[in-house]
Every structure is written in C-alpha cells, then in structure tokens.
Amino acid sequence: MRSQALFLALAAVAAPVAAWDPFGHQTVGYLASKYFSESTAAHLTSLIGLSDRFDIGDAAAWADTVRDADGLPWSKNWHFINPRADNPATNTCKLEYPSDCPKGNCIIDAILNQTRAIMNPSLSASGRRNATMWVLHFFGDLHQPMHASGYKYGGNLVRPVCFGPMDQCNNGTSGDRVLSLHSIWDSAIPRKLRGLKAYETPAADKEAARLWAEDIYESQQAQADGTEEAREECGSMGCVVDWATESNRLVCEHALSKGEQWVLTHDLSGDYFLENAKVVQSQVGKAGRRLAQWMNALADILDQLPPVTEATRGEGDGYPTGDL
Ligand SMILES: *[C@@H]1O[C@H](CO)[C@@H](O)[C@H](O)[C@H]1NC(C)=O
Ligand SMILES: *[C@@H]1O[C@H](CO)[C@@H](O)[C@H](O)[C@H]1NC(C)=O
Ligand SMILES: *[C@@H]1O[C@H](CO)[C@@H](O)[C@H](O)[C@H]1NC(C)=O
C-alpha cells in the first residue's frame, strides 16, 4: 500500500538524486549516436535542433531538468517503474506489466507513448522535440536497475549506505549529498568507474561522457564480429517490457543480492563497487546500442511520412505507424 506519508517521504528523499547522473545519460546519447544511420542523425538534428551548443548528450540529459516543480512535474513518474512484488528478503524481483504501470504512468508507457508522439504530425514542433528527448532519456533510465525496482521506491529509501571508507561515512550522507542505494547506482558507481569526483564542471562531465562512450563503443566493436548480442535487434513494443524486466532482475542478481542488511552496513565502494561497475558498464552499453536501433527503426518510418508542413499538420489519422 502506498500511503500519502510514504509519497511525501519519497519526495523528500528522492528529489536530489532520482536519475542517472547527467553524465550517464550523456554517455548513452553519445554512444547511440555512433550507431545512428545517416537518416536518423538528420531526423534527430531537425526534430531537436541539435548543434554544437546543444548536442545529443545534452538532449539525452534534458528530461531531468524539467522533471521538478518548475518544469514539467507530471513527467516525474515517467522515469521509472515500481513493481509491487519486489522484495529482497525473499529474493523476489518480479515485474508485471501492465499492472505495475498504473494509469500508464511509468517508464514503459512513456517510451511507447513518446515514440508515437515523435511520429505524430499533428503535434507541435515543441511537443515532438520534447518527445524525442524523452525517448533518448528514458532508454538510459530503463537500463538503470534501480529505476525498475519497486523495493523502497527504487532504493531511494534504502539508507543509510556507505560509499567510501567506512570512517568517512556519516550515516548515509556524503558531504552535502544524501546517499541511497538509488543514488549509488545513478551516480557513485559510474563516477568512480570513470575516475570522476562527485562534482566536476559540466564541461568536464561531458568530456568524460564522450570518452566513456568511445571506450564502450570500441569494446563493443571488438566483441561484435557477428555474435548474437551484437546483432540483437528489437524495434517492437514488447522489447521495452523485456528490457525493463532484465533491469528489474539485476536488482536481485546484483544490487541487493547480499541482502538489505549487508548493503546498509558495508562500504559499497569496495568489492560491491567492483562487481557492480561491470553491470553498470554493460547496461550503459546496452542502452546506447538499443536506443540507436530504436531510433534507426523510427527514422525509417519518418522517412515514409510526408514532411510536416502547415498543410499536413493536424491530419493525424491515417498516418502509417509502422511496427515500432
Ligand atoms: C502520453 O501522450 C499523451 C499525449 O501526448 C499525454 O497527454 C500523456 O501524458 C502521455 N503519457 C505518457 C506516460 O507518456
Ligand atoms: C517542452 O518542454 C519545454 C521545457 O523545456 C516546455 O517549456 C514546453 O512547454 C514543452 N512543450 C510542450 C508542447 O509540452
Ligand atoms: C542515522 O540516522 C537515522 C535517522 O536519520 C537515525 O534514526 C539513526 O539512529 C542514525 N544512525 C546512526 C548510527 O547514527
């Protein structure tokens, strides 16, 4: 049961830390762009208005800047799904769709819905731009296991935890940051993996994201040679549910595999970090590659649509929707 009190508690705890660091999202954007077809790159450039000053990394991180009170706060629940049965005490990770997505207010429906919105010629340019940036963003979130966990609101209420030498851990805070299992997966693990401090300049974060994408791309190319994984293709609705389910399982298999008590009482920057950095690296890699496949399939459909002009705007019915 989700009482009002718990929602308020979540709002208080979750506000500063509810998504991959921009750095993680930027990496997914840069990585995906290495796999975009020419047509995809052209469509995204015009849909979003990409330039050197606002590039694909910025576009992938945008959604977190409009999630809070002064932006588009109703989009907040689109960043995650909270499966109700999840419980580490019984090693249960169980995502049930659509029942775990009340009123379509979760990341799965948001991806599907916003993908349709990109193809909807009757939507305003601003609406299609936002829809495009939401899809870029949600592919990142979908691959962050804590965004697909219903246990204590995606680990936001799993506190205190320690990430750093135990004697520097101050009951679940680190400097002015509130630590939670969620924030450890969003920020602490990826930042430590790439040698970043908790705070760097935005330019340093973006440069680090470019380099991380480069490294992941190279290792994917090295493994590629026709393996199943490299050829994995999925442009259908059901894949989104599969990917969410995969993320959800990673919580039982890795994030909380040692149990909640263990996580609450150990320094997670040691062996826990080493094990789970591999999971993070692999998930960011999947997010980028899958996002590119999704966008490439979408671009094929956009290619078949008449260009959006004032004359066609508003004639929503009868447009092909393809099989995305
Ligand atoms: C789905 O799209 C409609 C129309 O664009 C919008 O009003 C609604 O909020 C969207 N919901 C999600 C979960 O994306
Ligand atoms: C798109 O997002 C911006 C915030 O970046 C907002 O001001 C604008 O109203 C949104 N457009 C639509 C159609 O919702
Ligand atoms: C940590 O903080 C919580 C509440 O914020 C408190 O109940 C608990 O006693 C504290 N634990 C330690 C070891 O200080």
Side-chain angles (χ1 to χ4, degrees), residues 44 51 72 79-80 90 99 115 150 222 239 241 303:
L44 291 180
S51 67
L72 309 172
H79 294 244
F80 57 84
T90 52
S99 58
T115 298
C239 302
V241 178
D303 282 341

Side-chain angles (χ1 to χ4, degrees), residues 70-109:
D70 52 346
L72 309 172
W74 33 263
S75 67
K76 196 167 178 165
N77 289 343
W78 298 357
H79 294 244
F80 57 84
I81 182 166
N82 278 165
R84 295 153 306 166
D86 287 350
N87 182 3
T90 52
N91 202 36
T92 305
C93 284
K94 191 169 195 301
L95 184 152
E96 287 175 295
Y97 180 81
S99 58
D100 283 327
C101 187
K103 298 187 186 151
N105 227 338
C106 78
I107 189 166
I108 294 174
D109 280 37

Side-chain angles (χ1 to χ4, degrees), residues 228-241:
E228 275 313 304
E229 176 138 61
R231 275 190 277 109
E232 175 193 52
E233 264 171 35
C234 201
S236 76
M237 301 282 185
C239 302
V240 180
V241 178

